[in-house]
Amino acid sequence: MAVNLGSNDGGDLVENAEINITPFIDVILVLMIIFMVAAPLSTVSVPVELPTSSAQQQPRPDKPVYVSIKSDLSVTVGEDTLARADLGAALDGATKGNKEERIFLRADKGVPYGELMQVMNLLRGAGYLKVGLVGLEEMAGGAQP
């Protein structure tokens, strides 16, 4: 508690009931600065490999439509290599125009992420929004098949 030592007629000390919040504000400002500095450091990019998955295998359709990106960055629909500009027309033929059919996208391990995103943008631009990424299944113990 704070004590007021000002002049008093009776000579008795009067207690001051006000709370001093200055130290509290100082602590809050220091914490805010610490979090402002630490937040960008927590989002540092880390190199990752994404070829395997331990997720439960989903049932495949009778005739799945695969779009593949090979290591030389060529794109195939099924077994047919084609130009990226022809991807929408080839998918329309493979799915008989059904834009709701799931497209399975697979890429070689060495394909840059930007190339994968370009093909996904082409799929979205063609109206195919249901895209599944295909990877190798992880065996028990972390070994690949």
Side-chain angles (χ1 to χ4, degrees), residues 58-74:
Q58 299 295 318
R60 293 185 183 175
D62 294 334
K63 294 191 82 176
V65 178
Y66 286 105
V67 174
S68 303
I69 307 171
K70 295 194 265 182
S71 59
D72 62 355
L73 303 182
S74 61

Side-chain angles (χ1 to χ4, degrees), residues 87-106:
L87 183 61
L91 285 174
D92 287 341
T95 63
K96 298 178 181 66
N98 182 8
K99 305 277 188 191
E100 293 298 314
E101 188 168 341
R102 183 170 304 278
I103 306 298
F104 293 96
L105 180 61
R106 56 187 178 181

Side-chain angles (χ1 to χ4, degrees), residues 40-140:
L41 298 177
S42 66
T43 59
V44 174
S45 61
V46 177
V48 245
E49 284 189 38
L50 300 174
T52 61
S53 173
S54 60
Q56 293 291 331
Q57 184 177 2
Q58 299 295 318
R60 293 185 183 175
D62 294 334
K63 294 191 82 176
V65 178
Y66 286 105
V67 174
S68 303
I69 307 171
K70 295 194 265 182
S71 59
D72 62 355
L73 303 182
S74 61
V75 177
T76 63
V77 174
E79 300 293 324
D80 303 324
T81 303
L82 49 98
R84 291 185 183 199
D86 300 332
L87 183 61
L91 285 174
D92 287 341
T95 63
K96 298 178 181 66
N98 182 8
K99 305 277 188 191
E100 293 298 314
E101 188 168 341
R102 183 170 304 278
I103 306 298
F104 293 96
L105 180 61
R106 56 187 178 181
D108 189 80
K109 188 176 184 179
V111 171
Y113 188 70
E115 295 293 328
L116 181 69
M117 290 305 298
Q118 286 179 0
V119 172
M120 287 184 72
N121 285 335
L122 290 173
L123 291 171
R124 186 177 63 209
Y128 294 94
L129 303 178
K130 293 185 177 182
V131 178
L133 298 177
V134 179
L136 295 176
E137 291 182 31
E138 188 176 280
M139 308 262 289

Side-chain angles (χ1 to χ4, degrees), residues 17-34:
E18 295 178 11
I19 297 174
N20 187 3
I21 62 168
T22 304
F24 176 72
I25 292 174
D26 290 343
V27 169
I28 295 299
L29 288 175
V30 168
L31 287 174
M32 185 177 72
I33 291 171
I34 289 172

